[in-house]
Amino acid sequence: MSSGKVCASVSAETCAEAVEKIGLAARSADIIEIRFDHLRPDELPLMLGYLRSHTIIKPIIATYRAPEQGGRGPVSAAERRGFWKMLGDCVESVDLEEDVFDTPGKWETRILSYHNFSFVDGDPNAIFNRLNARRPDIIKYAYLADDIIDTLPVWNLLQKAERVSQPVVAIAMGEAGKITRILGPPHGSRWTYGSVGEATAPGQISADDLTNLYRIREIDRETRVYGVIGDPVSQSLSPHIHNAAFANAGVNSVFLPLLVKDIGQFIDRMVRPDTREVDLNFGGFAVTMPHKLSIIDHLDEIDETAKAIGAVNTVLIDGGRLHGYNTDAEGFVRPLSTRYGPLKGARAAIYGAGGAARACVFSLKKEGAIVTVFARDPSKAEKLATEFGVNFDTMDTESAGAYDIVINATPIGMNAASDTGPLAPDLLEHAKLVYDLVTSSVPTPLIQAAENAGLETITGVEMLVAQAVRQFEIWTGETAPAAIMMKAAEMSRLSYDG
Ligand code: NAP
């Protein structure tokens, strides 16, 4: 079991708001940090008065940051020293930056903090040595990461801190650093910060998600780590789907969003057993844009389906070898066959000629459907159709409407509510079923138009879950809890779409 703790960071402008958030934080966090620098100056005495007259059931850390260290307002070192004097002993732990670390005070724990809001620079080792020389109870080291590779100094620092028995909290901030906020504790970080409401640092995860989505207290060094690798990954539903499945199956695994820019460096320096600089116990990946093609060069083998489609969306790490699969094809066709019935002879129109369209064309052709590809750039439609031996056409021909199944494999409909989709509604009247691969803003305008026309519809969320079911099977060798995964996708989609 991980000894990692969640420290909920409370940011509020007023004492009343802070008190409310402290109450919320106390439910899921082990420690509560109060960001005094976020309070209005006139609210500071009220807050201190509250702390003096109330017992809070969780340990409190007081933080009053300088602006260049992530603090909210313009405040001088002298003013900060004044604050620490005023604070007195109404909390047991304080978080101090280097310039005020020697401020007198009788606190049980002094945390010495270092923040760098530009991407990691200088020598993290030298910074650690400098901080360590001040003999703090705990060192906090945080910097901004741009790519997952930038988190390597965190893992190195945690190893070094363990060797010299110096308690430390090390974090890479930003989307790319989220992995350090989740796997930091089992690798030696004393705690991880979670937000209550507004995040107090880039990439900060809510205390609720740390507890319920990532099950942070159950993660240890034996936990098998999976994740979606891509750029961007912040809106991915996959962490919700796979973590729900892992929790339901009772397996010691976690699924993370992994912001990867340089796929080659990531595989070499963080994944491959013979070359990696840190062992995070990766078990496999879901692969999304822009790496579905480029990852192939970094794998040991890929299966026949992935080879035929020319794209990998799933990686299994087994015995130190990296195996590539494509579950989009099966994820696409499973709900379609269930809803439409046998696809042999069905006339299918696909709009789009990108990676997802390739998986659709592959599986439709395999099932015996008669496929026609459309794209805004007709030459791309032609290229894809020629490669797979299917038809292509332009949208302005009359034949464009005569299809049983109409598929949108473009991002159209993702954001614009007014967007009517790639196919004009009157073209849908010939169709029996409309399938829109888009996973956000569901029901998309195309799905709505199809529903209004009384047609059968399939959303991108159904495909996403169906391909995730296959991923789960590849990674665990067990039957996936499909209904649980669908429920998790729906719940998280609603929270993203607002
Ligand atoms: P991709 O490789 O980038 O291909 C996108 C395709 O859409 C290209 O043909 C592109 O044309 C076309 N396109 C983009 N914007 C367009 C516009 N405004 N008007 C007309 N055509 C446009 O992306 P992908 O991986 O195939 O993904 C396509 C969609 O499927 C995305 O929405 C993605 O989220 C979704 N998807 C869903 C699942 C799922 O499980 N539900 C799985 C994979 C993908 P150009 O080449 O001319 O740019």
Side-chain angles (χ1 to χ4, degrees), residues 119-125 128 141 143-161 163 170-173 176-181 183-184 187 259-260 262-272 275-282:
F119 298 119
V120 67
D121 62 358
D123 176 2
N125 237 330
F128 175 83
Y141 186 102
Y143 62 88
L144 201 57
D146 182 43
D147 184 355
I148 196 164
I149 279 300
D150 300 334
T151 67
L152 280 169
V154 164
W155 312 115
N156 293 336
L157 205 120
L158 289 172
Q159 282 167 13
K160 177 170 177 152
R163 279 197 303 276
I171 293 162
M173 296 181 287
K178 271 188 176 164
I179 184 171
T180 65
R181 295 185 181 275
L183 299 186
H187 287 266
L259 179 60
V260 173
D262 187 327
I263 185 76
Q265 284 227 34
F266 171 62
I267 298 289
D268 288 347
R269 298 180 65 191
M270 296 183 75
V271 180
R272 234 175 225 298
T275 54
R276 68 188 171 208
E277 295 164 36
V278 56
D279 180 5
L280 296 175
N281 203 20
F282 285 123

Side-chain angles (χ1 to χ4, degrees), residues 107-409:
W107 301 296
E108 267 173 41
T109 309
R110 272 177 198 252
I111 302 157
L112 177 53
S113 268
Y114 172 88
H115 291 81
N116 186 340
F117 285 87
S118 54
F119 298 119
V120 67
D121 62 358
D123 176 2
N125 237 330
I127 296 166
F128 175 83
N129 290 341
R130 187 178 80 217
L131 300 176
N132 200 24
R134 309 278 300 268
R135 298 265 159 257
D137 297 305
I138 297 175
I139 288 174
K140 181 186 172 198
Y141 186 102
Y143 62 88
L144 201 57
D146 182 43
D147 184 355
I148 196 164
I149 279 300
D150 300 334
T151 67
L152 280 169
V154 164
W155 312 115
N156 293 336
L157 205 120
L158 289 172
Q159 282 167 13
K160 177 170 177 152
E162 198 167 74
R163 279 197 303 276
V164 300
S165 302
Q166 167 61 55
V168 71
V169 175
I171 293 162
M173 296 181 287
E175 184 65 32
K178 271 188 176 164
I179 184 171
T180 65
R181 295 185 181 275
I182 299 164
L183 299 186
H187 287 266
S189 227
R190 283 305 157 118
W191 59 75
T192 188
Y193 289 89
S195 59
V196 186
E198 182 196 5
T200 58
Q204 200 175 70
I205 301 165
S206 74
D208 279 350
D209 275 356
L210 285 169
T211 304
N212 302 318
L213 175 61
Y214 297 111
R215 294 179 293 133
I216 189 103
R217 292 182 186 84
E218 292 168 37
I219 297 177
D220 54 25
R221 288 197 194 183
E222 303 302 312
T223 301
R224 205 80 174 127
V225 177
Y226 298 84
V228 52
I229 56 179
D231 179 16
V233 289
S234 60
Q235 294 292 304
S236 173
L237 301 182
S238 295
H240 299 269
I241 296 170
H242 284 298
N243 282 319
F246 289 149
N248 181 269
V251 291
N252 186 9
S253 300
V254 68
F255 189 99
L256 314 178
L258 305 172
L259 179 60
V260 173
K261 293 196 170 168
D262 187 327
I263 185 76
Q265 284 227 34
F266 171 62
I267 298 289
D268 288 347
R269 298 180 65 191
M270 296 183 75
V271 180
R272 234 175 225 298
D274 47 339
T275 54
R276 68 188 171 208
E277 295 164 36
V278 56
D279 180 5
L280 296 175
N281 203 20
F282 285 123
F285 306 110
V287 186
T288 189
M289 291 191 302
H291 302 311
K292 284 186 179 183
L293 303 181
S294 53
I295 195 161
I296 292 175
D297 290 342
H298 304 281
L299 303 176
D300 295 304
E301 56 249 355
I302 66 172
D303 82 341
E304 287 306 316
T305 304
K307 211 176 280 174
I309 296 168
V312 160
N313 81 328
T314 306
V315 175
L316 167 72
I317 304 166
D318 187 24
R321 291 179 70 75
L322 278 67
H323 306 262
Y325 301 85
N326 190 307
T327 66
D328 278 340
E330 195 175 332
F332 166 74
V333 89
R334 261 195 207 182
L336 181 58
S337 303
T338 309
R339 210 73 61 78
Y340 188 86
L343 294 165
K344 193 166 173 53
R347 294 162 303 167
I350 298 184
Y351 193 66
R358 293 178 71 84
C360 299
V361 171
F362 169 83
S363 30
L364 283 166
K365 185 160 185 235
K366 198 169 156 210
E367 298 293 321
I370 302 159
V371 184
T372 304
V373 181
F374 299 87
R376 64 176 169 187
D377 179 346
S379 70
K380 289 186 181 169
E382 181 177 358
K383 189 166 178 288
L384 173 60
T386 308
E387 194 180 327
F388 285 89
V390 299
N391 310 315
F392 63 95
D393 210 334
T394 52
M395 294 301 295
D396 50 13
T397 61
E398 289 197 355
S399 61
Y403 297 98
D404 303 310
I405 301 165
V406 172
I407 301 148
N408 174 35

Side-chain angles (χ1 to χ4, degrees), residues 288-289 292-293 313 327-328 331-332 351-359 374-377 380-381 384 408-414 419 422 435-440 459-468:
T288 189
M289 291 191 302
K292 284 186 179 183
L293 303 181
N313 81 328
T327 66
D328 278 340
F332 166 74
Y351 193 66
R358 293 178 71 84
F374 299 87
R376 64 176 169 187
D377 179 346
K380 289 186 181 169
L384 173 60
N408 174 35
T410 77
I412 295 175
M414 261 173 85
D419 194 342
Y435 198 152
D436 193 343
L437 267 57
V438 168
T439 51
S440 54
T459 70
V461 176
E462 289 174 76
M463 170 174 167
L464 184 70
V465 172
Q467 67 78 33

